[in-house]
Amino acid sequence: MSTSTTKRDQILDSALSLFAERGFDATTIPMIASDANVGAGTIYRYFENKEVLVNMLFQHYVDLFTKTLEEDYPKDAEIRAQFHHLFQGMVRFTNEREHALHFIKTHNAAYFLDDTSRSRFDRLLMILEEFIDEGKKKEQIRDLPSNALIAIIFGGFLELFKLIRAGEIEATDQLLAGVEESCWDAVRHHA
């Protein structure tokens, strides 16, 4: 791996972590440079400004998350099996990219996102909304607004992973299975 690729990767890793923890407005280029062990000028060699950097990160991680959810999606399976696939995709994505899902969730409506970032996020939302709409049509998911149901699932999931990262609970298979079942119970249609 070349030095320039390593520096660029260090910048991206530091930016993701800082944007996820502090937010866009509270994160400065000098903070990212310090965390990445590079000079601020090095960042500007790779990225025109902070907005370009955050949009590039956002698009990259939204695309990866979308791919994770779409990969081997069981479109002909029962709604509960589809939910399992989506939930396990969130787990895999978060385990592999600690700050990425939190970063996406906290920045998805931000003023600095460009049209490409918004379009890619809309594509991700479309996957989730199509799942929920199909579940509503089959009367297996509650008849609530799709964005409310998405908020219930992602809100609970992100809070869980915040507790895991803080070391307050351990991410066992049993815990994750129980959380998945709880999220499913929160959104499923109760006859």
Side-chain angles (χ1 to χ4, degrees):
M1 184 178 294
S2 71
T3 304
S4 62
T5 302
T6 301
K7 285 183 182 180
R8 185 176 187 276
D9 290 344
Q10 287 172 265
I11 293 165
L12 292 172
D13 289 345
S14 293
L16 174 64
S17 177
L18 290 167
F19 288 146
E21 292 173 11
R22 302 177 55 86
F24 176 79
D25 290 325
T27 300
T28 65
I29 291 292
M31 286 175 174
I32 296 169
S34 175
D35 192 73
N37 272 338
V38 299
T42 302
I43 293 176
Y44 291 112
R45 280 199 320 230
Y46 296 103
F47 307 99
E48 183 180 337
N49 55 43
K50 189 169 77 165
E51 288 81 6
V52 170
L53 172 58
V54 76
N55 275 282
M56 199 276 325
L57 270 176
F58 188 83
Q59 292 164 23
H60 174 71
Y61 285 110
V62 165
D63 288 349
L64 281 175
F65 188 43
T66 300
K67 182 180 175 187
T68 299
L69 297 182
E70 287 180 329
E71 191 172 359
D72 298 324
Y73 184 75
K75 66 179 182 175
D76 296 325
E78 293 294 321
I79 295 296
R80 179 61 179 97
Q82 292 173 353
F83 181 84
H84 176 73
H85 174 85
L86 295 173
F87 189 88
Q88 291 304 311
M90 289 191 302
V91 170
R92 277 191 320 279
F93 184 77
T94 304
N95 283 339
E96 294 169 7
R97 299 157 191 92
E98 180 180 2
H99 300 286
L101 192 57
H102 180 71
F103 167 69
I104 292 169
K105 180 66 180 117
T106 57
H107 291 80
N108 66 58
Y111 67 90
F112 51 78
L113 290 182
D114 61 22
D115 290 342
T116 302
S117 292
R118 285 189 180 91
S119 173
R120 291 185 183 179
F121 184 73
D122 287 346
R123 181 171 171 249
L124 171 62
L125 272 183
M126 187 179 68
I127 293 167
L128 301 172
E129 288 172 350
E130 285 175 356
F131 159 75
I132 289 172
D133 290 345
E134 185 65 21
K136 287 181 195 178
K137 191 168 82 176
K138 293 181 176 180
E139 297 183 349
Q140 294 181 22
I141 293 184
R142 293 175 187 265
D143 189 19
L144 291 171
S146 296
N147 57 355
L149 295 169
I150 291 168
I152 289 168
I153 296 165
F154 278 92
F157 183 83
L158 288 170
E159 284 301 313
L160 168 72
F161 269 83
K162 190 188 310 183
L163 293 172
I164 291 169
R165 279 197 319 269
E168 295 182 31
I169 56 176
E170 183 182 346
T172 64
D173 290 341
Q174 182 180 6
L175 173 72
L176 293 174
V179 170
E180 177 184 337
E181 194 61 34
S182 295
C183 287
W184 172 246
D185 281 344
V187 300
R188 76 177 175 90
H189 177 75
H190 296 267

